[in-house]
């Protein structure tokens, strides 16, 4: 039982500490791709801690589960976990954690279903505004131009992703700015940022009181945009993508007072223009490796009794 409690405590501590540590880091905006990886590793460590805690709690509470899980294990390993020294709390903990897992899956399924419905609705609206020519297959064009008075461009995900851009945006974007916007949206598509957004939204909606999941959703929305900005800036320059962001959003009052819904846009433009130096390759590698070790910690905790028994 102590292994289950240790894993549960480890998951709770990680969920509380990870958002605070990442909020204090001074390299997040300089390396958004590394930050995305660190966040994913932290969330994976939390989920893995809870899953392992559920597994060992169920093994303690029910002989059938223990028999299947530890069937190939030596007797000394089974005895090391002290499965017979607990009360009914193991069953309660296992049921609560299992319910949390089922709820997480349900929230993810709901989020994916809603995203699919939104995507299908936007494709129907796109077909109304830009009907297909006779004999033209749906989704055959990667770039769709819509008549519109407001500058706007977005990537429509799916099996045949398309970049949709309005005529007002085409009039505003000059020279390589259009190519930079295209590179930005392609950066989202290649990195499958939509899946990160779906997973973070599902966890935050399912468990709104857990800081790591709330922070995960907020930071995913911000960091995926910074990462896509960097993809475009490496190809066309920081000034080009910064000017493209200004041209696309200037008429929305984003850069004036009272622009709370778009508060990240001025910061993104400032970040591109100030051009803070990236971390060294060595430090990026160390951060990536350290983050990859975080989900390994609950696995090591789970195997401590077994390793001790086999010495």
């Amino acid at each position: 039982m102590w292994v289950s409690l240790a894993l549960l405590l480890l998951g709770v501590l990680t969920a509380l500490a990870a958002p605070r540590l990442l909020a204090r880091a001074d390299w997040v905006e300089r390396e958004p791709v590394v930050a995305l990886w660190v966040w994913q590793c932290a969330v994976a460590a939390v989920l893995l801690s809870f899953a392992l805690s559920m597994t060992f709690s169920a093994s303690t509470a029910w002989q059938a589960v223990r028999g299947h899980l530890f069937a190939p294990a030596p007797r000394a390993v089974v005895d090391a976990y002290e499965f017979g020294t607990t009360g009914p709390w193991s069953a309660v903990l296992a049921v609560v954690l299992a319910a949390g897992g089922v709820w997480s899956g349900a929230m993810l399924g709901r989020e994916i279903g809603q995203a699919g419905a939104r995507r299908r609705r936007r494709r129907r609206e796109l077909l109304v505004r830009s009907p297909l020519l006779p004999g033209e297959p749906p989704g055959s064009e990667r770039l769709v131009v819509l008549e519109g008075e407001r500058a706007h461009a977005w990537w429509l995900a799916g099996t045949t992703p398309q970049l949709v851009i309005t005529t007002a945006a085409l009039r505003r974007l000059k020279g390589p700015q259009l190519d930079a916007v295209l590179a930005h949206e392609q950066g989202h598509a290649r990195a499958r940022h939509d899946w990160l957004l779906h997973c973070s939204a599902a966890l935050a909606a399912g468990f709104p009181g857990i800081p790591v999941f709330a922070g995960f959703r907020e930071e995913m929305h911000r960091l995926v945009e910074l990462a896509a900005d960097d993809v475009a800036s490496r190809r066309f320059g920081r000034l080009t993508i910064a000017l493209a962001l200004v041209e696309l959003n200037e008429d929305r009052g984003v850069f004036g007072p009272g622009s709370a819904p778009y508060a990240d846009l001025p910061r993104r433009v400032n970040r591109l223009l100030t051009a803070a130096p990236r971390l060294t390759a060595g430090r990026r590698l160390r951060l990536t490796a350290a983050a990859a070790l975080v989900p390994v910690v609950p696995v090591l905790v789970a195997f401590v009794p077994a390793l001790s028994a086999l010495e």
Side-chain angles (χ1 to χ4, degrees):
M1 180 64 179
W2 72 266
V3 177
S4 302
L5 295 178
L7 288 166
L8 180 64
L9 180 61
L10 178 62
V12 172
L13 290 176
T14 305
L16 293 173
R20 297 180 182 181
L21 292 175
L22 284 165
R24 295 174 184 173
D26 60 355
W27 52 266
V28 171
E29 290 197 353
R30 295 161 63 187
E31 296 293 344
V33 174
V34 177
L36 285 169
W37 170 251
V38 173
W39 268 104
Q40 291 175 74
C41 290
V43 171
V46 173
L47 297 177
L48 187 58
S49 296
F50 291 158
L52 288 172
S53 179
M54 177 199 69
T55 301
F56 283 103
S57 297
S59 297
T60 303
W62 297 295
Q63 175 64 40
V65 176
R66 184 161 66 248
H68 285 291
L69 187 63
F70 288 89
R75 183 65 187 177
V77 171
V78 178
D79 293 339
Y81 284 96
E82 301 177 352
F83 287 119
T85 59
T86 184
W89 291 108
S90 293
V92 174
L93 182 59
V95 170
V96 169
L97 292 174
V102 172
W103 180 248
S104 299
M107 290 296 101
L108 181 58
R110 188 188 71 169
E111 176 64 26
I112 293 174
Q114 290 177 345
R118 289 193 299 269
R119 188 165 57 247
R120 288 190 294 272
R121 184 177 66 252
R122 296 185 77 175
R123 287 195 180 277
R124 288 194 298 268
E125 294 171 354
L126 183 63
L127 286 175
V128 171
R129 297 181 63 184
S130 178
L132 298 174
L133 296 174
E136 181 183 2
S140 59
E141 295 295 334
R142 290 300 181 96
L143 177 64
V144 180
V145 179
L146 295 180
E147 186 71 31
E149 298 180 357
R150 170 166 286 187
H152 195 26
W154 69 92
W155 190 264
L156 191 59
T159 54
T160 55
Q162 295 174 298
L163 175 66
V164 185
I165 190 167
T166 63
T167 52
L170 289 178
R171 288 192 296 269
R172 280 179 170 270
L173 297 175
K174 303 173 182 64
Q177 293 174 6
L178 177 60
D179 294 327
V181 170
L182 177 60
H184 173 98
E185 298 300 337
Q186 286 177 334
H188 285 311
R190 290 196 184 105
R192 300 311 305 266
H193 287 160
D194 53 330
W195 280 102
L196 279 178
L197 297 177
H198 293 332
C199 293
S200 63
L203 289 171
F207 305 96
I210 299 182
V212 71
F213 296 152
F216 187 42
R217 177 176 59 183
E218 293 173 5
E219 286 296 282
M220 287 307 98
H221 282 277
R222 186 174 73 96
L223 292 173
V224 296
E225 295 299 335
L226 299 184
D229 287 345
D230 287 349
V231 170
S233 68
R234 281 194 286 272
R235 291 184 60 187
F236 300 99
R238 289 176 174 268
L239 181 60
T240 301
I241 186 62
L243 291 174
L245 289 174
V246 172
E247 293 292 346
L248 285 174
N249 297 282
E250 190 175 18
D251 60 349
R252 296 184 180 134
V254 170
F255 302 97
S259 59
Y262 305 97
D264 280 343
L265 273 166
R267 289 198 289 267
R268 285 168 59 192
V269 172
N270 288 334
R271 171 181 175 271
L272 289 166
L273 295 177
T274 53
R278 297 187 65 187
L279 301 180
T280 63
R283 189 176 178 191
R284 292 199 303 271
L285 181 61
R286 288 193 296 272
L287 285 170
T288 302
L293 292 176
V294 174
V296 178
V297 174
V299 178
L300 293 177
V301 172
F303 279 97
V304 164
L307 295 174
S308 300
L310 294 175
E311 286 183 354

